[in-house]
Amino acid sequence: MKLTAHERSMANGEQGEAVAAAMAVLIEYGEILGAERLVETNNVSGANIFGPRHSKVLGETDPQALFSRFSLNSDKTLDVPAVRAHSCQLIGPRDAKNWQMQGLSEAENEEITKSEEYLASIGVSLLSTCTPYQVGNNPIKGEHCAWMESSAVVYINSVLGARTNTEGRESTAAAMLTGRIPYAGLHLEENRRATHEVRIERPVDSTFDWNVLGYFLGAVLDDGIPVITGGELDPEPVDLKQLGAAAASSGDIEMYHIPGITPEAATREQALGGRQPEEVIVFGQHEFDDTVRRLNATASGDDIDFVMIGCPHASLSQVREVAALLEGRTVHPSTRLWLFTPSALREVAVRSGYVDTIERAGGKVMADTCPAIAQFLPKGTRSFATDSAKQVHYLPAIMGVSGNFGTTRQCVEAAVTGRWVTA
Ligand code: F3S
């Protein structure tokens, strides 16, 4: 791999051992990807908060030792300097206000706090969400980024036109310290063209529909890039958030185009870069129904113990919608309703009165974490309901519960009645 003089000085250790370790990670990773060089980045989003699960493995709770081991692949505790690129922390393992509800002990909570403080001390912004683009991190078209979290990756590639591959903890930590990432994959113009055309032949109007379409795309295309044509598509940002998350769950989709809506596809032809699609796939009523059936594959019985809203982290409009649906009602005594959002948005939802409405009804608005990432559920949960295709894909596998997927209205009805009612 060709390195600039500055990159060579970082790799040689002239800028400290931690930066040299970061360069070693990037060079090895870049060579695996077949990258000929690195590219500058000033927007990195990674996950480097460590808690009890990591310290048990290392037998050590010092955040710098944990960062050196798990983020920089070094057995030695390195002297980590301030980050060089603008960097933010993704979703973490804990809600700082509601950690007891997650079943964490005081010692575990303190350990996570120490890890957060350490990251802040080296200059990482603690956005603590899987949706950094909802709380102020909005890269511009063409900007080279290094982001983790598959749903965020597909959002910024597709909706914002920024460029990132799906990075990992080590590559984002290395990018934070060096301001570099391998120039490969979706950083290159030629790899961003649509490979397949997906023709819409039934209405895709609601957020529920966009979840279903996303799940279908991932399942049929795996890691292709679809251009979505046909239909009268008029998505809102929340619809595209759900679409990408679902597509990156059932498959490895990192990017899609919608002519006239996403920034690199003024037309179908532009999305395809003048080529023919490898395949034209139809999304009609049959495909829709079949996908909904697959999303509900683990559903069993009608009793619902837990309703989860906010995967990816809920937008303000989603929190407001739940508040409106709950107004004057009460969550069933045997069911829990928890929403998940970034704490920056929870703050606005508190000021706007949405949190009060939800919590007066017996629900809870939690922040900065989620059940799938942090592996927690309300005690005794056997069956849950969600309006997120991604969450119903992962939570049954991670936590061994059964899952119902439906509209937000259906989920709120389940929370109020304790029962699942088919739409
Ligand atoms: Fe975010 Fe957790 Fe869903 S990380 S995308 S809320 S599984």
Side-chain angles (χ1 to χ4, degrees):
M1 183 186 293
K2 276 192 216 123
L3 299 181
T4 63
H6 175 64
E7 289 162 358
R8 275 199 303 278
S9 86
M10 290 197 284
N12 292 342
E14 288 166 33
Q15 300 186 39
E17 281 184 311
V19 172
M23 281 298 290
V25 168
L26 291 178
I27 291 169
E28 188 182 348
Y29 169 48
E31 281 170 354
I32 292 167
L33 293 178
E36 288 177 5
R37 66 177 177 92
L38 302 174
V39 65
E40 283 187 40
T41 178
N42 194 26
N43 190 326
V44 183
S45 176
N48 295 283
I49 288 180
F50 300 109
R53 268 192 274 156
H54 300 93
S55 57
K56 267 183 208 134
V57 174
L58 201 60
E60 164 78 88
T61 59
D62 172 44
Q64 187 148 264
L66 290 161
F67 189 90
S68 301
R69 176 70 190 87
F70 292 111
S71 298
L72 295 175
N73 203 20
S74 167
D75 290 333
K76 184 174 161 195
T77 300
L78 302 168
D79 188 11
V80 178
V83 293
R84 195 175 297 252
H86 175 68
S87 305
C88 70
Q89 161 62 24
L90 273 170
I91 191 165
R94 172 290 302 257
D95 176 341
K97 285 192 178 151
N98 295 302
W99 55 270
Q100 291 99 332
M101 287 174 60
Q102 291 180 236
L104 293 173
S105 69
E106 205 152 321
E108 289 170 329
N109 181 48
E110 267 171 31
E111 200 180 321
I112 294 166
T113 302
K114 236 168 68 176
S115 186
E116 279 194 352
E117 286 170 355
Y118 170 71
L119 277 187
S121 78
I122 60 168
V124 177
S125 303
L126 299 174
L127 294 190
S128 297
T129 175
C130 48
T131 59
Y133 52 88
Q134 293 201 109
V135 288
N137 189 347
N138 284 284
I140 58 172
K141 187 176 174 205
E143 184 174 350
H144 293 285
C145 301
W147 279 34
M148 272 180 79
E149 191 1 69
S150 59
S151 71
V153 164
V154 69
Y155 191 93
I156 69 164
N157 274 318
S158 312
V159 182
L160 304 183
R163 299 182 175 200
T164 185
N165 293 312
T166 306
E167 298 298 345
R169 181 176 62 209
E170 295 83 354
S171 62
T172 51
M176 288 176 183
L177 297 184
T178 61
R180 299 290 189 278
I181 198 73
Y183 188 53
L186 291 176
H187 290 283
L188 302 170
E189 184 76 33
E190 65 265 27
N191 294 334
R192 300 176 65 83
R193 298 286 163 238
T195 56
H196 295 73
E197 180 174 358
V198 176
R199 257 186 220 149
I200 304 299
E201 294 190 354
R202 65 92 68 196
V204 178
D205 294 332
S206 64
T207 306
F208 177 83
D209 295 345
W210 285 96
N211 269 281
V212 177
L213 173 59
Y215 203 73
F216 171 77
L217 294 178
V220 294
L221 294 184
D222 193 18
D223 62 355
I225 300 181
V227 53
I228 304 168
T229 62
E232 303 212 341
L233 302 176
D234 188 18
E236 298 194 6
V238 63
D239 299 327
L240 299 180
K241 169 171 81 81
Q242 298 306 125
L243 171 80
S249 310
S250 53
D252 289 327
I253 286 185
E254 294 177 294
M255 185 169 183
Y256 59 82
H257 299 280
I258 308 176
I261 290 172
T262 56
E264 293 173 60
T267 62
R268 168 188 175 278
E269 288 65 36
Q270 187 192 13
L272 286 159
R275 295 176 305 205
Q276 287 304 308
E278 287 171 25
E279 196 182 350
V280 178
I281 296 159
V282 167
F283 180 71
Q285 192 60 43
H286 168 75
E287 290 75 17
F288 181 90
D289 293 340
D290 186 54
T291 307
V292 172
R293 241 189 324 273
R294 278 189 292 115
L295 282 162
N296 279 293
T298 67
S300 72
D302 292 335
D303 289 339
I304 300 294
D305 306 316
F306 170 47
V307 176
M308 189 279 182
I309 307 280
C311 169
H313 269 170
S315 66
L316 261 189
S317 65
Q318 289 176 297
V319 179
R320 192 183 61 218
E321 182 185 0
V322 172
L325 289 166
L326 270 179
E327 184 70 61
R329 308 176 80 191
T330 307
V331 171
H332 193 271
S334 63
T335 306
R336 298 282 168 272
L337 167 64
W338 291 355
L339 280 79
F340 294 84
T341 194
S343 53
L345 290 188
R346 178 168 66 185
E347 198 50 46
V348 179
V350 166
R351 286 208 300 268
S352 310
Y354 311 145
V355 171
D356 186 49
T357 304
I358 293 167
E359 298 197 347
R360 248 186 302 124
K364 192 81 199 163
V365 180
M366 299 183 76
D368 299 346
T369 188
C370 85
I373 282 289
Q375 301 186 10
F376 66 94
L377 286 170
K379 226 176 171 177
T381 299
R382 283 158 303 152
S383 63
F384 88 110
T386 183
D387 59 357
S388 161
K390 175 168 180 172
Q391 194 71 192
V392 84
H393 176 86
Y394 283 116
L395 208 54
I398 294 173
M399 301 297 285
V401 291
S402 65
N404 286 70
F405 167 69
T407 64
T408 308
R409 180 179 289 275
Q410 267 178 293
C411 288
V412 172
E413 283 309 308
V416 169
T417 63
R419 309 271 299 162
W420 188 250
V421 180
T422 309

